[in-house]
Amino acid sequence: MSEANSPQPQPPMRAAIIPVTAFQQNCSLIWCTRTMRGAFVDPGGDLAKLREALAKTGVTLEKILVTHGHLDHCGMAGELAKEAGVPIEGPHEDDRFWIAQLGDDSRKWQMEGHVFEPDRWLVDGDQVTVGELVLDVIHCPGHTPGHVVFHHPASHLAIVGDVLFQGSIGRTDFPRGNHADLIASITQKLWPLGEETTFIPGHGPVSTFGQERASNPFVADIALG
């Protein structure tokens, strides 16, 4: 069989984005194509939608990953973990105070959310596994002090939560937010991952680090001088 007619090799990882909650937060279902075992990243709510995504893809849920402690990202992580019998990994323990107030935030925003204790707090340089996939953990404070990013080098894909968006960056006006820390996280920890890296943000469309370095008014090279 000629090379041109050979079937395309299956990528090691696939990802689906399921917007959840009134904030249209991008919950990601990522999975290992060899084992069909997967993880939800930031299951903030709408569990019926997430169950439907599992059924549609045929993925077996192995764990839950959390980028940071805000309600729309992790308000229903604990409930889903109990229902599915899977562990929760992340975020960094500096976000413990956010997770501790999920009940209060739930009432404030009139969205369901429940306090939980992750099975594993993550630190910079950790790795998490999903099936046979190995993702690097990058601590990226600024939006929240314990925010982490998940990066799969072989797929040139990062899941960045609310650190960076297409054309924008995360808010830093929440308790223990820090603008200088956020800019440092983006420029010193995300940019070195490569301009070709596609990222899934916590809200809105996907982009690449190269596109944001060229055009993002907050962190483009020209904007930062």
Side-chain angles (χ1 to χ4, degrees):
M1 183 182 290
S2 70
E3 190 66 27
N5 294 325
S6 298
Q8 290 298 309
Q10 177 86 303
M13 180 172 84
R14 294 194 64 186
I17 298 171
I18 307 107
V20 297
T21 82
F23 293 95
Q24 288 295 283
Q25 190 275 125
N26 288 335
C27 175
S28 298
L29 173 60
I30 60 172
W31 69 94
C32 167
T33 55
R34 278 179 56 85
T35 64
M36 291 304 288
R37 298 182 70 82
F40 278 121
V41 185
D42 290 355
D46 294 331
L47 296 191
K49 278 189 182 180
L50 304 188
R51 295 186 202 102
E52 185 180 333
L54 285 176
K56 187 174 180 181
T57 56
V59 169
T60 298
L61 188 65
E62 183 176 79
K63 65 182 59 172
I64 292 166
L65 302 175
V66 175
T67 64
H68 66 291
H70 283 167
L71 175 67
D72 56 325
H73 288 258
C74 67
M76 293 300 284
E79 299 305 294
L80 180 59
K82 283 188 283 189
E83 175 186 299
V86 299
I88 301 172
E89 299 185 6
H92 185 285
E93 196 167 3
D94 282 352
D95 267 18
R96 180 185 282 279
F97 77 103
W98 275 116
I99 294 171
Q101 67 183 48
L102 284 171
D104 293 338
D105 288 343
S106 172
R107 289 183 286 275
K108 176 181 176 181
W109 296 102
Q110 297 185 312
M111 283 168 43
E112 188 177 359
H114 301 272
V115 176
F116 64 93
E117 177 76 14
D119 296 270
R120 179 188 176 197
W121 296 103
L122 299 172
V123 299
D124 194 66
D126 275 349
Q127 292 182 319
V128 295
T129 60
V130 179
E132 296 179 2
L133 304 172
V134 179
L135 288 83
D136 296 324
V137 175
I138 305 165
H139 182 211
C140 290
H143 177 65
T144 69
H147 201 303
V148 296
V149 162
F150 300 102
H151 176 232
H152 188 240
S155 299
H156 303 292
L157 180 73
I159 302 172
V160 304
D162 286 355
V163 173
L164 179 69
F165 306 102
Q166 184 187 81
S168 189
I169 59 174
R171 290 175 57 174
T172 55
D173 57 339
F174 294 119
R176 294 185 62 192
N178 186 295
H179 181 76
D181 286 351
L182 183 69
I183 299 301
S185 290
I186 294 168
T187 59
Q188 296 173 25
K189 294 189 171 183
L190 298 189
W191 288 173
L193 301 180
E195 295 196 359
E196 73 284 359
T197 299
T198 296
F199 68 91
I200 300 174
H203 306 265
V206 302
S207 183
T208 66
F209 292 149
Q211 180 178 327
E212 300 313 304
R213 287 192 72 167
S215 63
N216 189 303
F218 299 93
V219 286
D221 292 350
I222 193 168
L224 298 176

